[in-house]
Amino acid sequence: TIERLDYQIKFHPQTDNLLFEIPQNQERWCWCDALYMAAPTYALYANITGNSAYREFMDREFWAATEALYDEREHLFYRDTRLIGRQEANGAKVFWGRGNGWVVGAIARILDYLPTEFPSRPRYVRLFQEMMGRIVELQDPQGYWHTSLLDYQTYTSPETSASGFFTFALWWGINRGILSEKEYLAPAIKAWEAMVAAVHPNGMLGYVQPIGDAPQNITWEKNEVYGTAALALAGVEVARYAENNDR
């Protein structure tokens, strides 16, 4: 892992944009999934090795991706630059549910590894709070989120990898004192109950969108490992809250 991190820092391409269509850019974090896949690892290995270069590289690349993909008006991330300017059937912008789940999950894990004195730590906290404030507004009456966050008329089915990451982020934020318990506990409980309701009698989690990069409708029978992992992450935080509050 260290060899790969060192190689990436040394040989990452010097590009002046993060357009996804340019193959060279895909060696950088030009799609929002990558923020979860890579950034927390750099933050963690800075702690393990004592090499702050990993943390500094992570911080620089995270905010470069944010500048390219974050919509300041909607407080949501585009999956990549190809979706900027596109519209759903209802005229809304295209914001992929799981993609935004990857991002809030990434910020949570980064903050668990960043030193309290790290200069841009407050910036991560603000971004997390801003996104979660928007995300709770998009929770459906059953407690889920869908594959397209702004078009539940076209994408009618719930989606549990996005919902799982948002559930994790809600409980993680409450447990760390980053999200107000008074404001966020009710949607967090609703989200957890929705996730539990999506588990089949045999233990399989349903409504997980297959590997992809954009919204699509799915069914109760669909499952992928990352959906189950998101449920597990959320469950750990629910258990932590219960333990800390004698519930």
Side-chain angles (χ1 to χ4, degrees), residues 200-238:
H200 289 224
N202 67 359
M204 185 187 82
L205 177 66
Y207 287 123
V208 181
Q209 183 184 358
I211 293 171
D213 58 7
Q216 65 183 90
N217 270 312
I218 51 166
T219 64
W220 162 252
E221 291 78 20
K222 294 293 184 179
N223 175 268
E224 296 286 349
V225 292
Y226 43 76
T228 304
L231 173 63
L233 285 171
V236 169
E237 294 300 328
V238 173

Side-chain angles (χ1 to χ4, degrees), residues 29 35 38-40 42-43 54-66 70 77 103-132 172 178-179:
W29 304 344
L35 298 180
Y42 282 87
Y54 297 134
R55 190 181 299 120
E56 292 160 4
F57 176 84
M58 178 279 297
D59 190 56
R60 183 176 69 250
E61 291 298 294
F62 182 97
W63 293 112
T66 299
Y70 187 57
F77 273 73
V103 175
V104 294
I107 299 171
R109 299 186 71 197
I110 289 168
L111 285 169
D112 274 342
Y113 303 140
L114 277 184
T116 56
E117 70 278 6
F118 190 68
S120 61
R121 181 183 176 89
R123 194 177 177 192
Y124 289 96
V125 172
R126 286 194 300 270
L127 178 61
F128 181 82
Q129 291 171 331
E130 190 171 86
M131 289 187 70
M132 293 309 298
W172 179 93
I178 291 175
L179 297 179

Side-chain angles (χ1 to χ4, degrees), residues 87-92 146-148 150-157 215-218:
Q87 292 183 332
E88 298 287 15
N90 65 356
H146 298 204
T147 60
S148 179
L150 301 186
D151 185 2
Y152 288 12
Q153 295 75 39
T154 302
Y155 303 96
T156 57
S157 59
Q216 65 183 90
N217 270 312
I218 51 166

Side-chain angles (χ1 to χ4, degrees), residues 11 31 34 39-40 52 69 71-72 100 119 123 129 136 141 149 156 176 185 216-217 223 231 235 239:
F11 295 107
W31 67 105
S52 62
L69 302 177
D71 188 300
E72 295 282 355
N100 281 273
R123 194 177 177 192
Q129 291 171 331
V136 293
L149 291 177
T156 57
R176 303 311 188 278
L185 183 59
Q216 65 183 90
N217 270 312
N223 175 268
L231 173 63

